[in-house]
Amino acid sequence: MSTAIPSSTVHDVEASPAGSARAGGIGALVATATFLFGIVLFVTQLADFTAPDTTVADSVAFLVDNEEVLFVGYAVIYLLFGLAIVPLVRALQQRLHRAEPELSAMSAVFGYIWVGLMFATGMVLTIGMGAVADMAGDSAQAQSLFTAIDTVGNGLGGGNELVGGVWILLVSRAAQRAAALPRWLNVLGIVTALAGIVTVIPALTEVGMVFGLGCIAWFAAVGRELLVRP
């Protein structure tokens, strides 16, 4: 009796890394789109909501008038982004694990933590902002709830970019050592990551814009690499 493994099974096993890379590449491009969407949304329709001189009362009033826009924005920026980077984290770990098993494993941990934080932030904000809108008739209560939800949301995923920065830094360093991605892309990743990490310092939170713009370029380039050279 033959014990040979069917050729279709061997093909499926061998093709799985390529399939993972394609899924990760698509995820990276979706992540790029969510960053672009967020930047455009916040400098256009939500400009008044994010202005530095906006008071809590102004924010609550804006939320009541634009609840649907805020819901879609937070769902895309946090929930869709979180979904998109799951296959990307997996694909990059597979790409790097043979040459850099320790770094790739550590990077995946931070990548999945970032996913969890994005989901938590998105759910807190989408559900919480709806609750604020429902309480709009009681101005004091609505403002108090808004402040609490905004603080929790910032603490989980909007106040600084430490976790995302550490993930990109570990991936870029592992890829640099393994020559798994182009050299320029690893340098871009390291610079972007450092810009995110320093946002833990209150005086440097504005550097988060550098992180956001760097992420757009990094996600787009990584997505292309995974699709073109799986």
Side-chain angles (χ1 to χ4, degrees):
M1 180 179 178
S2 173
T3 58
I5 300 174
S7 60
S8 60
T9 302
V10 174
H11 176 75
D12 289 343
V13 172
E14 292 177 347
S16 60
S20 176
R22 283 191 292 271
I26 293 170
L29 296 182
V30 172
T32 304
T34 65
F35 265 90
L36 288 170
F37 173 84
I39 289 175
V40 171
L41 184 66
F42 278 99
V43 300
T44 55
Q45 286 185 277
L46 302 185
D48 292 338
F49 187 68
T50 57
D53 58 346
T54 301
T55 65
V56 175
D58 292 336
S59 296
V60 171
F62 184 95
L63 186 157
V64 172
D65 292 336
N66 299 273
E67 184 181 354
E68 294 82 5
V69 175
L70 281 168
F71 178 87
V72 172
Y74 288 139
V76 170
I77 295 167
Y78 294 109
L79 300 179
L80 180 57
F81 175 74
L83 283 171
I85 63 174
V86 170
L88 177 59
V89 173
R90 176 62 176 159
L92 289 172
Q93 183 184 18
Q94 283 194 331
R95 194 181 189 94
L96 299 169
H97 82 276
R98 288 187 180 178
E100 293 292 335
E102 293 299 322
L103 273 180
S104 67
M106 285 191 291
S107 71
V109 170
F110 279 94
Y112 291 127
I113 291 174
W114 200 19
V115 170
L117 289 173
M118 292 300 98
F119 278 117
T121 305
M123 288 186 286
V124 165
L125 292 177
T126 54
I127 295 172
M129 294 302 173
V132 172
D134 291 340
M135 297 179 63
D138 186 333
S139 179
Q141 289 285 354
Q143 290 181 40
S144 178
L145 181 59
F146 176 88
T147 301
I149 291 170
D150 187 57
T151 301
V152 172
N154 277 327
L156 288 171
N160 65 63
E161 305 294 349
L162 175 63
V163 176
V166 172
W167 174 59
I168 294 175
L169 179 63
L170 292 174
V171 167
S172 299
R173 181 57 180 147
Q176 187 179 54
R177 292 174 56 168
L181 293 172
R183 183 178 301 176
W184 70 267
L185 183 51
N186 296 327
V187 173
L188 172 63
I190 290 171
V191 172
T192 298
L194 293 176
I197 291 170
V198 300
T199 61
V200 298
I201 303 172
L204 297 178
T205 54
E206 294 301 319
V207 181
M209 180 57 71
V210 176
F211 176 78
L213 295 174
C215 278
I216 291 172
W218 188 79
F219 279 119
V222 169
R224 181 183 181 281
E225 282 293 315
L226 292 174
L227 291 172
V228 174
R229 284 181 280 274

